[in-house]
Amino acid sequence: MTEATAPTPEVLEAVQRDFSGQLADAGRDVDELQRIRSAFFGPKGRLTLLLKSVGQLPPEARRDAGRLTNEVKRSLEGALMEVLDATAAEAREKELRKGRLDLSLPGRRAIPKGSLHPVTQINNEMVDIFARMGFDVAGGPEVETDWHNFGALNFPDDHPARDMQDTFFVRPPDDRPAGSLVLRTHTSPVQIRAMLAQGAPIRIVAPGRVYRCDSDPTHSPMFHQIEGLWVDEGVSMAHLRGVLTGFINALFGERGVRLRPSFFPFVEPGVEVDLECVFCDGAGCNVCKQTGWMEILGAGMVHPNVLKSCGIDAEKYTGFAFGLGIDRVAMLRWAIDDLAHMFRSDARFLSQIRGI
Ligand code: DAH
């Protein structure tokens, strides 16, 4: 509806009456209140248009008409805003009464704290134990040359461990195995890198990822090992036994440790080290297949060929080396039954394994 007439007092009074009627009818209906707002005060609202029409009046009439129209507009607008404010306050009050928001409740606890992955926890603990025995930490690349991963470790060219079935080749062998690049299949190549860089005497541990083309419930294509190496004048099998027994006792508590003869190309003699079963304390159970023992690591006296590959005088120096799987130790430590848990990153699993 447009006002044909100029904003005379009569017209304004009529607008006022109309407005009051509509406002009373609207009650607390917010949509209706908003409609009234735009019908009277919007860009094409009745009062907006009336104000505009003041300009068309003869100059003598403009002042009074303008003042009156503005007064009416302000007062009506004020009345409408009051109703809108009251309506909003009522709605808020109603929402609060529903009781869903209890302002007296304490706030939520801090965001749940994360924890280190079990492999990282065990790794850190192992590195600490060896650090206390004077071992430094060394590292090396995960993509290795055939020479560091095999050749310098005294693996013959035709050794089965170089086979496609175990090794991921980054650059496959052609006629010369020495030219290939592999994902390291163990942490032992770090021995070579450390000895080449540092010579003897040397005492290091080297934790890291290793890769083998193998995947079943007890094997993952990527897993973690920690390597150890101690080369000095007069280092003997007795040192090997002493250090490894100390390590196992620090990690698993006082328990029996035994060495069995075994073979690895880079050590002579080579041994496998068992500890008394952590589940039955040596009595015999399913986990240890009734033997009372579980194998935990490979070790041995560094082969003279390995020392020679690294330019170390094998007449003057001797040493021992060892390597073990970190994931397996973490599984023993927390009685985890499935290796796959270690690599799934499932927060429900990880949150149970914390704090050692
Ligand atoms: N590199 C071996 C493996 O991956 C483990 C190992 C055995 C490391 C004997 C050694 C060692 O240093 O002396 O199975």
Side-chain angles (χ1 to χ4, degrees):
M1 197 200 306
T2 47
E3 240 65 42
T5 23
T8 58
E10 296 74 39
V11 167
L12 287 169
E13 217 170 285
V15 170
Q16 228 165 338
R17 245 180 287 117
D18 199 5
F19 174 87
S20 304
Q22 291 194 26
L23 192 62
D25 288 347
R28 294 299 197 225
D29 182 336
V30 179
D31 289 343
E32 185 58 15
L33 291 169
Q34 292 297 357
R35 189 200 60 73
I36 294 173
R37 189 182 195 172
S38 81
F40 284 84
F41 313 108
K44 294 216 155 54
R46 289 166 71 181
L47 276 158
T48 316
L49 295 178
L50 278 173
L51 258 183
K52 274 191 194 155
S53 73
V54 169
Q56 323 288 302
L57 291 176
E60 335 66 81
R62 276 184 211 162
R63 225 185 60 167
D64 283 352
R67 192 177 40 79
L68 194 59
T69 314
N70 261 323
E71 254 169 36
V72 170
K73 181 174 181 251
R74 261 199 300 277
S75 115
L76 298 191
E77 224 167 0
L80 177 67
M81 288 320 288
E82 239 171 65
V83 179
L84 273 171
D85 286 349
T87 311
E90 269 171 28
R92 199 163 53 235
E93 188 72 8
K94 214 163 125 193
E95 193 60 29
L96 286 173
R97 285 244 174 70
K98 278 190 195 158
R100 258 191 266 150
L101 195 62
D102 182 349
L103 295 176
S104 67
L105 284 176
R108 293 226 173 130
R109 295 251 196 138
I111 297 162
K113 258 209 283 179
S115 58
L116 294 176
H117 192 279
V119 170
T120 310
Q121 292 184 41
I122 283 284
N123 178 66
N124 294 350
E125 196 182 350
M126 289 182 179
V127 168
D128 280 352
I129 295 170
F130 285 115
R132 288 201 292 274
M133 295 197 248
F135 285 77
D136 297 324
V137 176
E142 290 172 27
V143 174
E144 263 300 5
T145 68
D146 175 276
W147 185 78
H148 288 89
N149 196 77
F150 295 123
L153 287 163
N154 201 33
F155 282 81
D157 278 358
D158 57 358
H159 194 283
R162 293 174 185 250
D163 204 316
M164 283 284 193
Q165 268 128 53
D166 286 314
T167 308
F168 286 115
F169 285 91
V170 176
R171 190 166 70 211
D174 34 39
D175 37 316
R176 251 176 356 114
S180 57
L181 281 181
V182 303
L183 292 185
R184 67 179 181 194
T185 59
H186 50 180
T187 41
S188 304
V190 184
Q191 291 183 33
I192 304 300
R193 290 189 176 271
M195 281 191 280
L196 285 172
Q198 197 181 317
I202 185 170
R203 199 184 329 177
I204 54 123
V205 285
R209 297 193 182 101
V210 301
Y211 302 84
R212 281 183 210 174
C213 194
D214 214 351
S215 186
D216 63 39
T218 56
H219 294 93
S220 154
M222 186 284 288
F223 56 105
H224 303 84
Q225 285 189 337
I226 184 166
E227 192 80 12
L229 174 73
W230 185 346
V231 177
D232 203 341
E233 286 178 56
V235 173
S236 73
M237 201 81 182
H239 295 102
L240 179 160
R241 192 183 165 98
V243 165
L244 293 180
T245 304
F247 162 70
I248 288 169
N249 289 340
L251 201 60
F252 289 104
E254 294 284 327
R255 55 185 60 245
V257 172
R258 76 177 183 188
L259 273 52
R260 277 180 296 109
S262 186
F263 174 78
F264 304 95
F266 37 93
V267 284
E268 182 57 41
V271 293
E272 267 166 342
V273 180
D274 296 343
L275 78 157
E276 231 165 24
C277 178
V278 297
F279 295 100
C280 63
D281 287 330
C285 67
N286 284 341
V287 184
C288 63
K289 301 197 183 84
Q290 310 304 330
T291 62
W293 296 95
M294 27 195 17
E295 185 203 320
I296 166 162
L297 50 82
M301 298 305 294
V302 180
H303 197 292
N305 288 350
V306 175
L307 295 175
K308 281 180 211 150
S309 296
C310 301
I312 291 176
D313 182 352
E315 298 294 326
K316 184 170 173 200
Y317 291 105
T318 52
F320 68 85
F322 57 89
L324 70 154
I326 300 178
D327 317 82
R328 220 177 89 77
V329 171
M331 287 177 76
L332 289 181
R333 178 60 172 266
W334 286 290
I336 298 162
D337 56 2
D338 184 356
L339 179 69
H341 283 311
M342 297 303 211
F343 304 107
R344 258 191 218 126
S345 302
D346 185 334
R348 291 167 304 180
F349 164 76
L350 294 174
S351 64
Q352 296 175 49
I353 310 255
R354 66 174 67 198
I356 43 173

